[in-house]
Amino acid sequence: MKRLFAGLGGVLVVVWVAALSSMAGSGIVAPAPVTFTDVTAQAGIKFVHNSGRAGQKFLPETLGSGVAWFDADGDGWADVLLINSRDWTPRGRKSLPALYRNNHDGTFTNITAGSGLDVEMYGIGVAIGDYDNDGRDDVYITALEGDHLFHNEGHGKFRDVTKASGIDNASFGTSAAWVDYDRDGKLDLFVANYVQWTAKGDLWCSLDGATKSYCTPESYKGTSSKLYHNLGNGKFEDVSRKAGVAEPTSKSLGVAVLDYNGDGWPDLFVTNDTQPNKLYRNNRNGTFTDEAVPAGVAFGEDGVARGAMGVDAADYDRSGRPDLLVGNFSNQMLGLYHNEGTGLFVDEAPSSTVGRASLLTLTFGAFFFDYDLDGYPDIFAANGHIEEEIGRVQPKVQYKEAPLLFHNLGRRQFENVTTQMGAAFNRPVVARGAAYADYDHDGDLDILVTTNDGPAYLFRNDGGNRNHWISMRLVGRKSNRDGIGAVVRVISKSGKQWNMVRSGSSYCSQSDLALTFGLGGDTAVDSIEIEWPSGEKQKLGGMAANQFLTIDETAGIVTKAGPRK
């Protein structure tokens, strides 16, 4: 900051003072100096996505694939699963997903071979959840030719149980989320499906009228997303139509689980590409009602359906209600929908820094996370266009785009801090999936980004843990074992904040299920309150900050650990 002050003179004084005054009285502290360092190579991650492109410009080649952070081997550290696609016709190589085991020292080892996840497929998305409550997280992968459910057998080994489970989704699946929508203690599964497409039926589209380009989804018919009810004993039933979520005109790319009306039951927000988004209110009887239009989240502010991709939900202003973040197509800006608490959302992006900075970018992965641990969720957006030649017809729009990072200033205001995060972070790429986790156990949240037909990038958070924090992983007993759907409220000196354990969100990706709460300058937590999906309520007493907690639904805190030194 001092070096910048000397170079920019009084101009920076105005900006810096303005930023500080906007935070004054907001309850948050000035942001700690944070950078995101590209540690992909030194971490040992060597993954390149294969879209199968060979000049035919097939639609699925534009979608890339996702990534998941989860504890594959049960050692308490976040491992990595990177989803891969494949060649359309055999070219003498195999394209496999990549499972990387966390070595606890900042590095990873590729353990894909023999893991059971070493299955070639045209993979797109991934969701993580312990569907049989055996204490091990299972893997669901969406794939063009048919999705796969992998049961975690322990010690980093998985078994494909798709056929035996009764799940049969060969409908161009994209994002997915595990959710106990009926609160019976067993995780159900929602799968977002895109459009009706086959290689044989691929259409000819063009930017210039002479050469083939990738088609946008308007060219194809939509298809219904799927909801699978968990029957127990490893079996699922397709209840999409019965539950009211079978909408054949939808072209879905993202799904977020949230309780937008605060009734204690999980609702679903589904983003659609060039079709109206869906906000499915849980009717608490196994059915849902779409409230997107009256809630103001179906269309853009101009009343037109946008090209919506990734999505997330969080309470970014401590109102006690979940808001929505939606990644959209270029020239449409991010959607930042504030929950007014009346069943209505208001998009604050058009009048904010978030909208102005994101107007030209095309956002796939997007999520809220507190990167500097000040207690207010910030915004990350992973960007990249679908058409390599877009710059020829839209000179202001680029194929490769840098990500965006917005720091939450409080009072429903954000600041674009992307350029402050280092050169590697600002590298233009064709990003798709994005997820976060504290992979190195130092308290702050790191980011993993996938690119379309390109490498994955691991960005280590350096400096976020200058503020205090508390992290917790839940273990359900009456509720599902992962505690998905549980609401956690943390009270400290600077106030109250909350979050929900959720599968899904972002784009085709899964962040770690552990919840991290930034505490800013607070050195202790006064209390932790948990509302479990079973209806059980739990209150825990005060404790020092900077700890990893494991909290059991019946036993309370079962483990405590400090950060890795």
Side-chain angles (χ1 to χ4, degrees), residues 139-157:
V139 175
Y140 187 82
I141 299 177
T142 61
L144 197 61
E145 62 274 78
D147 299 353
H148 293 261
L149 176 61
F150 294 95
H151 182 259
N152 190 331
E153 305 285 296
H155 307 290
K157 303 294 184 182

Side-chain angles (χ1 to χ4, degrees), residues 28 45-46 54 60 179 197 214 238 277 280 298 364 401 405 436 494 502 515 551:
I28 66 176
I45 294 177
K46 303 173 182 176
V179 54
W197 180 91
Y214 289 109
D238 183 350
N277 297 324
Y280 290 115
F364 276 86
E401 300 171 339
L405 182 66
Y436 60 84
S494 59
R502 291 172 297 120
L515 298 182
I551 303 176

Side-chain angles (χ1 to χ4, degrees), residues 13 19 29 31 70 117-118 185 192 218 243 290 299 336 341 372 455 475 503 549:
V13 174
V29 297
F70 77 116
L117 297 176
D118 47 348
E218 292 100 330
D290 179 21
F299 307 98
L336 183 61
D372 61 345
V475 179
S503 172
L549 309 177

Side-chain angles (χ1 to χ4, degrees), residues 53 86 115 195 257 304 344 350 364 485 516 531 547-549 563:
R53 63 176 58 185
R86 66 175 182 180
S115 68
V195 297
V257 180
V304 176
L344 179 68
F364 276 86
T516 295
E531 295 179 10
Q547 296 192 74
F548 297 100
L549 309 177

Side-chain angles (χ1 to χ4, degrees), residues 131-145:
Y131 73 85
D132 59 348
N133 293 327
D134 65 355
R136 299 186 296 267
D137 277 330
D138 309 299
V139 175
Y140 187 82
I141 299 177
T142 61
L144 197 61
E145 62 274 78

Side-chain angles (χ1 to χ4, degrees), residues 328-334 357-363 381 383-385 397 401-402 404:
N328 290 310
F329 208 77
S330 54
N331 296 303
Q332 294 179 345
M333 72 178 60
L334 286 167
S358 64
L359 177 60
L360 296 179
T361 56
L362 196 167
T363 300
N383 305 314
H385 211 276
V397 177
E401 300 171 339
L404 287 168

